[in-house]
mmCIF file with all atom_site columns, all heavy atoms in Angstrom:
data_model
loop_
_atom_site.group_PDB
_atom_site.id
_atom_site.type_symbol
_atom_site.label_atom_id
_atom_site.label_alt_id
_atom_site.label_comp_id
_atom_site.label_asym_id
_atom_site.label_entity_id
_atom_site.label_seq_id
_atom_site.pdbx_PDB_ins_code
_atom_site.Cartn_x
_atom_site.Cartn_y
_atom_site.Cartn_z
_atom_site.occupancy
_atom_site.B_iso_or_equiv
_atom_site.pdbx_formal_charge
_atom_site.auth_seq_id
_atom_site.auth_comp_id
_atom_site.auth_asym_id
_atom_site.auth_atom_id
_atom_site.pdbx_PDB_model_num
ATOM 1   N N   . PHE B 1 89  ? -62.657 73.614 -11.406 1.00 97.00 ? 89  PHE B N   1
ATOM 2   C CA  . PHE B 1 89  ? -63.807 72.791 -11.050 1.00 97.00 ? 89  PHE B CA  1
ATOM 3   C C   . PHE B 1 89  ? -65.106 73.480 -11.446 1.00 97.00 ? 89  PHE B C   1
ATOM 4   O O   . PHE B 1 89  ? -66.007 72.861 -12.012 1.00 97.00 ? 89  PHE B O   1
ATOM 5   C CB  . PHE B 1 89  ? -63.806 72.487 -9.547  1.00 97.00 ? 89  PHE B CB  1
ATOM 6   C CG  . PHE B 1 89  ? -65.089 71.874 -9.060  1.00 97.00 ? 89  PHE B CG  1
ATOM 7   C CD1 . PHE B 1 89  ? -65.419 70.567 -9.409  1.00 97.00 ? 89  PHE B CD1 1
ATOM 8   C CD2 . PHE B 1 89  ? -65.978 72.595 -8.291  1.00 97.00 ? 89  PHE B CD2 1
ATOM 9   C CE1 . PHE B 1 89  ? -66.609 69.992 -8.986  1.00 97.00 ? 89  PHE B CE1 1
ATOM 10  C CE2 . PHE B 1 89  ? -67.184 72.026 -7.859  1.00 97.00 ? 89  PHE B CE2 1
ATOM 11  C CZ  . PHE B 1 89  ? -67.488 70.725 -8.211  1.00 97.00 ? 89  PHE B CZ  1
ATOM 12  N N   . MET B 1 90  ? -65.197 74.777 -11.168 1.00 96.00 ? 90  MET B N   1
ATOM 13  C CA  . MET B 1 90  ? -66.452 75.460 -11.479 1.00 96.00 ? 90  MET B CA  1
ATOM 14  C C   . MET B 1 90  ? -66.702 75.489 -12.986 1.00 96.00 ? 90  MET B C   1
ATOM 15  O O   . MET B 1 90  ? -67.828 75.359 -13.439 1.00 96.00 ? 90  MET B O   1
ATOM 16  C CB  . MET B 1 90  ? -66.448 76.880 -10.896 1.00 96.00 ? 90  MET B CB  1
ATOM 17  C CG  . MET B 1 90  ? -66.510 76.955 -9.379  1.00 96.00 ? 90  MET B CG  1
ATOM 18  S SD  . MET B 1 90  ? -67.625 75.774 -8.585  1.00 96.00 ? 90  MET B SD  1
ATOM 19  C CE  . MET B 1 90  ? -69.218 76.364 -9.113  1.00 96.00 ? 90  MET B CE  1
ATOM 20  N N   . GLN B 1 91  ? -65.619 75.653 -13.756 1.00 96.00 ? 91  GLN B N   1
ATOM 21  C CA  . GLN B 1 91  ? -65.765 75.618 -15.214 1.00 96.00 ? 91  GLN B CA  1
ATOM 22  C C   . GLN B 1 91  ? -66.353 74.275 -15.655 1.00 96.00 ? 91  GLN B C   1
ATOM 23  O O   . GLN B 1 91  ? -67.314 74.221 -16.421 1.00 96.00 ? 91  GLN B O   1
ATOM 24  C CB  . GLN B 1 91  ? -64.379 75.765 -15.837 1.00 96.00 ? 91  GLN B CB  1
ATOM 25  C CG  . GLN B 1 91  ? -64.228 76.931 -16.758 1.00 96.00 ? 91  GLN B CG  1
ATOM 26  C CD  . GLN B 1 91  ? -62.783 76.996 -17.254 1.00 96.00 ? 91  GLN B CD  1
ATOM 27  O OE1 . GLN B 1 91  ? -61.850 76.947 -16.466 1.00 96.00 ? 91  GLN B OE1 1
ATOM 28  N NE2 . GLN B 1 91  ? -62.612 77.104 -18.557 1.00 96.00 ? 91  GLN B NE2 1
ATOM 29  N N   . ILE B 1 92  ? -65.745 73.194 -15.157 1.00 97.00 ? 92  ILE B N   1
ATOM 30  C CA  . ILE B 1 92  ? -66.224 71.861 -15.537 1.00 97.00 ? 92  ILE B CA  1
ATOM 31  C C   . ILE B 1 92  ? -67.640 71.643 -15.022 1.00 97.00 ? 92  ILE B C   1
ATOM 32  O O   . ILE B 1 92  ? -68.492 71.075 -15.710 1.00 97.00 ? 92  ILE B O   1
ATOM 33  C CB  . ILE B 1 92  ? -65.282 70.769 -14.976 1.00 97.00 ? 92  ILE B CB  1
ATOM 34  C CG1 . ILE B 1 92  ? -63.865 70.987 -15.506 1.00 97.00 ? 92  ILE B CG1 1
ATOM 35  C CG2 . ILE B 1 92  ? -65.769 69.390 -15.342 1.00 97.00 ? 92  ILE B CG2 1
ATOM 36  C CD1 . ILE B 1 92  ? -62.825 70.101 -14.856 1.00 97.00 ? 92  ILE B CD1 1
ATOM 37  N N   . PHE B 1 93  ? -67.877 72.144 -13.795 1.00 97.00 ? 93  PHE B N   1
ATOM 38  C CA  . PHE B 1 93  ? -69.199 71.970 -13.199 1.00 97.00 ? 93  PHE B CA  1
ATOM 39  C C   . PHE B 1 93  ? -70.279 72.546 -14.104 1.00 97.00 ? 93  PHE B C   1
ATOM 40  O O   . PHE B 1 93  ? -71.304 71.916 -14.349 1.00 97.00 ? 93  PHE B O   1
ATOM 41  C CB  . PHE B 1 93  ? -69.238 72.635 -11.821 1.00 97.00 ? 93  PHE B CB  1
ATOM 42  C CG  . PHE B 1 93  ? -70.598 72.620 -11.184 1.00 97.00 ? 93  PHE B CG  1
ATOM 43  C CD1 . PHE B 1 93  ? -71.050 71.486 -10.562 1.00 97.00 ? 93  PHE B CD1 1
ATOM 44  C CD2 . PHE B 1 93  ? -71.423 73.739 -11.250 1.00 97.00 ? 93  PHE B CD2 1
ATOM 45  C CE1 . PHE B 1 93  ? -72.322 71.448 -9.989  1.00 97.00 ? 93  PHE B CE1 1
ATOM 46  C CE2 . PHE B 1 93  ? -72.686 73.716 -10.686 1.00 97.00 ? 93  PHE B CE2 1
ATOM 47  C CZ  . PHE B 1 93  ? -73.134 72.568 -10.050 1.00 97.00 ? 93  PHE B CZ  1
ATOM 48  N N   . TRP B 1 94  ? -70.046 73.744 -14.638 1.00 97.00 ? 94  TRP B N   1
ATOM 49  C CA  . TRP B 1 94  ? -71.100 74.354 -15.454 1.00 97.00 ? 94  TRP B CA  1
ATOM 50  C C   . TRP B 1 94  ? -71.246 73.657 -16.799 1.00 97.00 ? 94  TRP B C   1
ATOM 51  O O   . TRP B 1 94  ? -72.354 73.556 -17.320 1.00 97.00 ? 94  TRP B O   1
ATOM 52  C CB  . TRP B 1 94  ? -70.878 75.862 -15.599 1.00 97.00 ? 94  TRP B CB  1
ATOM 53  C CG  . TRP B 1 94  ? -71.214 76.530 -14.301 1.00 97.00 ? 94  TRP B CG  1
ATOM 54  C CD1 . TRP B 1 94  ? -70.350 77.100 -13.434 1.00 97.00 ? 94  TRP B CD1 1
ATOM 55  C CD2 . TRP B 1 94  ? -72.523 76.621 -13.700 1.00 97.00 ? 94  TRP B CD2 1
ATOM 56  N NE1 . TRP B 1 94  ? -71.021 77.547 -12.313 1.00 97.00 ? 94  TRP B NE1 1
ATOM 57  C CE2 . TRP B 1 94  ? -72.352 77.259 -12.450 1.00 97.00 ? 94  TRP B CE2 1
ATOM 58  C CE3 . TRP B 1 94  ? -73.796 76.215 -14.074 1.00 97.00 ? 94  TRP B CE3 1
ATOM 59  C CZ2 . TRP B 1 94  ? -73.422 77.511 -11.593 1.00 97.00 ? 94  TRP B CZ2 1
ATOM 60  C CZ3 . TRP B 1 94  ? -74.859 76.460 -13.216 1.00 97.00 ? 94  TRP B CZ3 1
ATOM 61  C CH2 . TRP B 1 94  ? -74.669 77.107 -11.991 1.00 97.00 ? 94  TRP B CH2 1
ATOM 62  N N   . TRP B 1 95  ? -70.138 73.159 -17.369 1.00 96.00 ? 95  TRP B N   1
ATOM 63  C CA  . TRP B 1 95  ? -70.286 72.333 -18.573 1.00 96.00 ? 95  TRP B CA  1
ATOM 64  C C   . TRP B 1 95  ? -71.151 71.110 -18.252 1.00 96.00 ? 95  TRP B C   1
ATOM 65  O O   . TRP B 1 95  ? -72.055 70.745 -19.005 1.00 96.00 ? 95  TRP B O   1
ATOM 66  C CB  . TRP B 1 95  ? -68.925 71.850 -19.072 1.00 96.00 ? 95  TRP B CB  1
ATOM 67  C CG  . TRP B 1 95  ? -68.172 72.843 -19.895 1.00 96.00 ? 95  TRP B CG  1
ATOM 68  C CD1 . TRP B 1 95  ? -67.000 73.459 -19.565 1.00 96.00 ? 95  TRP B CD1 1
ATOM 69  C CD2 . TRP B 1 95  ? -68.524 73.351 -21.194 1.00 96.00 ? 95  TRP B CD2 1
ATOM 70  N NE1 . TRP B 1 95  ? -66.602 74.308 -20.560 1.00 96.00 ? 95  TRP B NE1 1
ATOM 71  C CE2 . TRP B 1 95  ? -67.522 74.265 -21.572 1.00 96.00 ? 95  TRP B CE2 1
ATOM 72  C CE3 . TRP B 1 95  ? -69.603 73.129 -22.058 1.00 96.00 ? 95  TRP B CE3 1
ATOM 73  C CZ2 . TRP B 1 95  ? -67.550 74.942 -22.791 1.00 96.00 ? 95  TRP B CZ2 1
ATOM 74  C CZ3 . TRP B 1 95  ? -69.641 73.807 -23.268 1.00 96.00 ? 95  TRP B CZ3 1
ATOM 75  C CH2 . TRP B 1 95  ? -68.618 74.695 -23.623 1.00 96.00 ? 95  TRP B CH2 1
ATOM 76  N N   . ALA B 1 96  ? -70.846 70.486 -17.112 1.00 96.00 ? 96  ALA B N   1
ATOM 77  C CA  . ALA B 1 96  ? -71.583 69.275 -16.747 1.00 96.00 ? 96  ALA B CA  1
ATOM 78  C C   . ALA B 1 96  ? -73.055 69.590 -16.520 1.00 96.00 ? 96  ALA B C   1
ATOM 79  O O   . ALA B 1 96  ? -73.933 68.825 -16.924 1.00 96.00 ? 96  ALA B O   1
ATOM 80  C CB  . ALA B 1 96  ? -70.966 68.638 -15.495 1.00 96.00 ? 96  ALA B CB  1
ATOM 81  N N   . MET B 1 97  ? -73.324 70.738 -15.890 1.00 96.00 ? 97  MET B N   1
ATOM 82  C CA  . MET B 1 97  ? -74.721 71.120 -15.683 1.00 96.00 ? 97  MET B CA  1
ATOM 83  C C   . MET B 1 97  ? -75.429 71.286 -17.020 1.00 96.00 ? 97  MET B C   1
ATOM 84  O O   . MET B 1 97  ? -76.579 70.886 -17.188 1.00 96.00 ? 97  MET B O   1
ATOM 85  C CB  . MET B 1 97  ? -74.802 72.423 -14.880 1.00 96.00 ? 97  MET B CB  1
ATOM 86  C CG  . MET B 1 97  ? -74.566 72.250 -13.399 1.00 96.00 ? 97  MET B CG  1
ATOM 87  S SD  . MET B 1 97  ? -75.722 71.100 -12.628 1.00 96.00 ? 97  MET B SD  1
ATOM 88  C CE  . MET B 1 97  ? -77.122 72.178 -12.371 1.00 96.00 ? 97  MET B CE  1
ATOM 89  N N   . GLY B 1 98  ? -74.726 71.891 -17.987 1.00 96.00 ? 98  GLY B N   1
ATOM 90  C CA  . GLY B 1 98  ? -75.319 72.063 -19.311 1.00 96.00 ? 98  GLY B CA  1
ATOM 91  C C   . GLY B 1 98  ? -75.659 70.718 -19.933 1.00 96.00 ? 98  GLY B C   1
ATOM 92  O O   . GLY B 1 98  ? -76.782 70.503 -20.425 1.00 96.00 ? 98  GLY B O   1
ATOM 93  N N   . VAL B 1 99  ? -74.699 69.789 -19.885 1.00 96.00 ? 99  VAL B N   1
ATOM 94  C CA  . VAL B 1 99  ? -74.940 68.463 -20.448 1.00 96.00 ? 99  VAL B CA  1
ATOM 95  C C   . VAL B 1 99  ? -76.086 67.779 -19.717 1.00 96.00 ? 99  VAL B C   1
ATOM 96  O O   . VAL B 1 99  ? -76.962 67.157 -20.330 1.00 96.00 ? 99  VAL B O   1
ATOM 97  C CB  . VAL B 1 99  ? -73.654 67.613 -20.375 1.00 96.00 ? 99  VAL B CB  1
ATOM 98  C CG1 . VAL B 1 99  ? -73.921 66.188 -20.808 1.00 96.00 ? 99  VAL B CG1 1
ATOM 99  C CG2 . VAL B 1 99  ? -72.556 68.243 -21.213 1.00 96.00 ? 99  VAL B CG2 1
ATOM 100 N N   . PHE B 1 100 ? -76.081 67.939 -18.380 1.00 97.00 ? 100 PHE B N   1
ATOM 101 C CA  . PHE B 1 100 ? -77.128 67.317 -17.571 1.00 97.00 ? 100 PHE B CA  1
ATOM 102 C C   . PHE B 1 100 ? -78.508 67.803 -18.020 1.00 97.00 ? 100 PHE B C   1
ATOM 103 O O   . PHE B 1 100 ? -79.422 67.010 -18.241 1.00 97.00 ? 100 PHE B O   1
ATOM 104 C CB  . PHE B 1 100 ? -76.897 67.664 -16.098 1.00 97.00 ? 100 PHE B CB  1
ATOM 105 C CG  . PHE B 1 100 ? -77.927 67.117 -15.163 1.00 97.00 ? 100 PHE B CG  1
ATOM 106 C CD1 . PHE B 1 100 ? -77.881 65.787 -14.776 1.00 97.00 ? 100 PHE B CD1 1
ATOM 107 C CD2 . PHE B 1 100 ? -78.936 67.923 -14.666 1.00 97.00 ? 100 PHE B CD2 1
ATOM 108 C CE1 . PHE B 1 100 ? -78.841 65.273 -13.913 1.00 97.00 ? 100 PHE B CE1 1
ATOM 109 C CE2 . PHE B 1 100 ? -79.893 67.412 -13.805 1.00 97.00 ? 100 PHE B CE2 1
ATOM 110 C CZ  . PHE B 1 100 ? -79.849 66.092 -13.425 1.00 97.00 ? 100 PHE B CZ  1
ATOM 111 N N   . VAL B 1 101 ? -78.631 69.103 -18.201 1.00 97.00 ? 101 VAL B N   1
ATOM 112 C CA  . VAL B 1 101 ? -79.929 69.659 -18.582 1.00 97.00 ? 101 VAL B CA  1
ATOM 113 C C   . VAL B 1 101 ? -80.331 69.132 -19.966 1.00 97.00 ? 101 VAL B C   1
ATOM 114 O O   . VAL B 1 101 ? -81.477 68.718 -20.179 1.00 97.00 ? 101 VAL B O   1
ATOM 115 C CB  . VAL B 1 101 ? -79.868 71.203 -18.563 1.00 97.00 ? 101 VAL B CB  1
ATOM 116 C CG1 . VAL B 1 101 ? -81.088 71.805 -19.250 1.00 97.00 ? 101 VAL B CG1 1
ATOM 117 C CG2 . VAL B 1 101 ? -79.746 71.694 -17.130 1.00 97.00 ? 101 VAL B CG2 1
ATOM 118 N N   . VAL B 1 102 ? -79.381 69.094 -20.897 1.00 96.00 ? 102 VAL B N   1
ATOM 119 C CA  . VAL B 1 102 ? -79.704 68.631 -22.253 1.00 96.00 ? 102 VAL B CA  1
ATOM 120 C C   . VAL B 1 102 ? -80.130 67.157 -22.224 1.00 96.00 ? 102 VAL B C   1
ATOM 121 O O   . VAL B 1 102 ? -81.169 66.779 -22.779 1.00 96.00 ? 102 VAL B O   1
ATOM 122 C CB  . VAL B 1 102 ? -78.485 68.820 -23.189 1.00 96.00 ? 102 VAL B CB  1
ATOM 123 C CG1 . VAL B 1 102 ? -78.697 68.098 -24.509 1.00 96.00 ? 102 VAL B CG1 1
ATOM 124 C CG2 . VAL B 1 102 ? -78.239 70.309 -23.412 1.00 96.00 ? 102 VAL B CG2 1
ATOM 125 N N   . VAL B 1 103 ? -79.326 66.323 -21.543 1.00 97.00 ? 103 VAL B N   1
ATOM 126 C CA  . VAL B 1 103 ? -79.621 64.887 -21.549 1.00 97.00 ? 103 VAL B CA  1
ATOM 127 C C   . VAL B 1 103 ? -80.934 64.607 -20.825 1.00 97.00 ? 103 VAL B C   1
ATOM 128 O O   . VAL B 1 103 ? -81.800 63.876 -21.319 1.00 97.00 ? 103 VAL B O   1
ATOM 129 C CB  . VAL B 1 103 ? -78.466 64.083 -20.918 1.00 97.00 ? 103 VAL B CB  1
ATOM 130 C CG1 . VAL B 1 103 ? -78.846 62.634 -20.736 1.00 97.00 ? 103 VAL B CG1 1
ATOM 131 C CG2 . VAL B 1 103 ? -77.227 64.201 -21.782 1.00 97.00 ? 103 VAL B CG2 1
#
Side-chain angles (χ1 to χ4, degrees):
Chain B
F89 169 71
M90 291 320 292
Q91 238 177 310
I92 301 171
F93 175 80
W94 287 110
W95 278 114
M97 282 302 278
V99 174
F100 178 79
V101 167
V102 169
V103 172

